[in-house]
Amino acid sequence: MELRVGNLKAVEGEKVQGYFEVLHTDLKVPCTLINGKKPGKTVVITGGTHGGEYPGVEAAIRIAGELQPEMVSGKVIVMHPYNLPAFEARLQYLTPQDGKNLNREFPGIATGTFTQRMAYSVTQELHSQADFYMDLHGGDIHEALVPFVIYPTIGSEEVTRISKEAASCMGINYVCKSTSTNGTFGSAALRGVPGFLSEIGGSGLWTEQEVQDYMYGIKNVLKYLHVLEGEAEINNSISYIEQMNGIYAESNGCWYPSVTPGGTVKKDEKVGEIKDYFGKVINEYYSPVNGTVLFVVSSLAITKDDPIVAIGEC
Ligand SMILES: [Zn+2]
């Protein structure tokens, strides 16, 4: 069967690399279609939903390059990077055209702002035909983190089960529940598509090891979905996180964390403080729970209402 994604198409047994034209904009996103020789599931992979999360972008480019129709049972669609304007602007969280966070704008609006149209295009052209969705993130330019993967619990029981099992195949030790509805993967789950959002790397950097970790995880999930041949390996050292507790900045200023990603904290233990530009402490933050520190803002600059620390509670 032909694979068609907007203006791009690949017949059975064909691989096509080109630019996906985002509906109702002049944006063209690098995109790869691999239409396998054998039947199977359709998997969508996006890297770079946020512009400064580099291991996921590089892994998306590599998996798009490596996969060939002979290797694939089913179909794989890769966007690399999805948020090309943010990537080129080296802009964290936001799309430069309208200052919106693409991962808060799903399912999108056809006639909305630039970011809302970007979301709408993926909902309409990719999620609509997907059997599974992987959204590859990392800590953004100002975020440090320990690798973790978030799966949606807002879809059907079956969607939640497949999402959790696949997330457990990423080779990542922290697997967290999510009830987000306006992000990429939550929106897909509400439309019956299981998936997850993974986080590897951060602070505006990327290493070969992080990309290799991503490549291992993506291929292992493709094996779990029977898109690639071979047995998926199950990770036996996973901590399943029931709840992620985000702590948010109450002021602009300078941020001084006292915890590091991957560390454990006790309830009421101090996690950091914000000082004003004269060095005076204006806010202090304490952990609401016993748990593991999943991410910490790594920039000195902090902006009111931004997340500063997330603590996972088992
Ligand atoms: Zn992200």
Side-chain angles (χ1 to χ4, degrees):
M1 225 171 68
E2 188 177 82
L3 171 59
R4 189 178 278 273
V5 181
N7 57 302
L8 300 172
K9 62 177 180 189
V11 297
E12 211 169 280
E14 189 185 19
K15 174 174 178 174
V16 168
Q17 296 205 282
Y19 285 86
F20 170 77
E21 294 170 6
V22 174
L23 303 171
H24 315 303
T25 72
D26 57 1
L27 177 62
K28 294 180 171 65
V29 174
C31 189
T32 298
L33 277 51
I34 301 129
N35 193 345
K37 288 208 161 161
K38 287 175 267 179
K41 292 192 165 72
T42 298
V43 178
V44 170
I45 303 172
T46 49
T49 297
H50 290 135
E53 302 176 354
Y54 301 132
V57 173
E58 176 61 13
I61 291 170
R62 279 197 210 177
I63 200 75
E66 271 190 31
L67 292 180
Q68 301 300 334
E70 306 75 57
M71 303 154 63
V72 168
S73 298
K75 300 173 175 66
V76 181
I77 305 162
V78 191
M79 278 191 164
H80 45 89
Y82 174 17
N83 200 335
L84 184 63
F87 182 78
E88 291 185 337
R90 299 194 193 95
L91 185 62
Q92 58 265 57
Y93 285 161
L94 309 175
T95 309
Q97 280 82 352
D98 59 8
K100 287 187 184 297
N101 182 339
L102 178 55
N103 203 30
R104 302 281 180 277
E105 295 298 334
F106 272 77
I109 303 170
T111 54
T113 69
F114 192 87
T115 304
Q116 289 166 339
R117 293 173 190 214
M118 287 179 73
Y120 175 81
S121 289
V122 161
T123 301
Q124 203 64 16
E125 297 291 334
L126 284 82
H127 288 173
S128 62
Q129 56 180 317
D131 297 306
F132 194 84
Y133 176 48
M134 288 186 233
D135 193 24
L136 315 177
H137 287 242
D140 216 315
I141 292 167
H142 61 294
E143 292 173 336
L145 55 77
V146 64
F148 63 95
V149 50
I150 312 173
Y151 69 93
T153 57
I154 51 168
S156 68
E157 261 180 44
E158 183 69 352
V159 165
T160 301
R161 181 185 66 79
I162 297 169
S163 300
K164 184 179 180 182
E165 285 180 12
S168 304
C169 292
M170 275 302 281
I172 290 175
N173 287 343
Y174 297 100
V175 175
C176 316
K177 286 183 177 177
S178 167
T179 54
S180 158
T181 57
N182 59 359
T184 51
F185 67 112
S187 175
L190 287 176
R191 280 156 189 76
V193 184
F196 57 71
L197 181 159
S198 50
E199 302 267 9
I200 296 180
S203 301
L205 301 170
W206 68 279
T207 66
E208 181 58 29
Q209 186 60 52
E210 288 161 350
V211 176
Q212 291 296 331
D213 291 347
Y214 248 140
M215 294 298 282
Y216 166 82
I218 296 164
K219 288 178 186 171
N220 204 40
V221 172
L222 291 175
K223 287 176 189 170
Y224 165 78
L225 297 168
H226 305 295
V227 169
L228 287 181
E229 273 180 27
E231 278 289 301
E233 291 173 10
I234 305 295
N235 178 356
N236 290 320
S237 45
I238 294 175
S239 297
Y240 287 97
I241 305 282
E242 285 297 309
Q243 178 146 1
M244 269 183 74
N245 298 273
I247 300 175
Y248 296 84
E250 295 160 288
S251 324
N252 289 356
C254 299
W255 162 242
Y256 301 86
S258 43
V259 291
T260 50
T264 54
V265 280
K266 295 252 179 283
K267 186 174 188 302
D268 299 328
E269 188 178 328
K270 189 169 177 178
V271 296
E273 58 192 23
I274 296 175
K275 295 180 184 177
D276 66 14
Y277 302 120
F278 301 92
K280 180 169 162 264
V281 175
I282 47 177
N283 305 114
E284 292 181 296
Y285 295 94
Y286 299 88
S287 177
V289 292
N290 293 331
T292 302
V293 178
L294 296 175
F295 94 83
V296 179
V297 164
S298 51
S299 65
L300 182 61
I302 197 72
T303 310
K304 186 176 184 293
D305 298 329
D306 273 358
I308 41 181
V309 174
I311 296 159
E313 200 181 355
C314 285

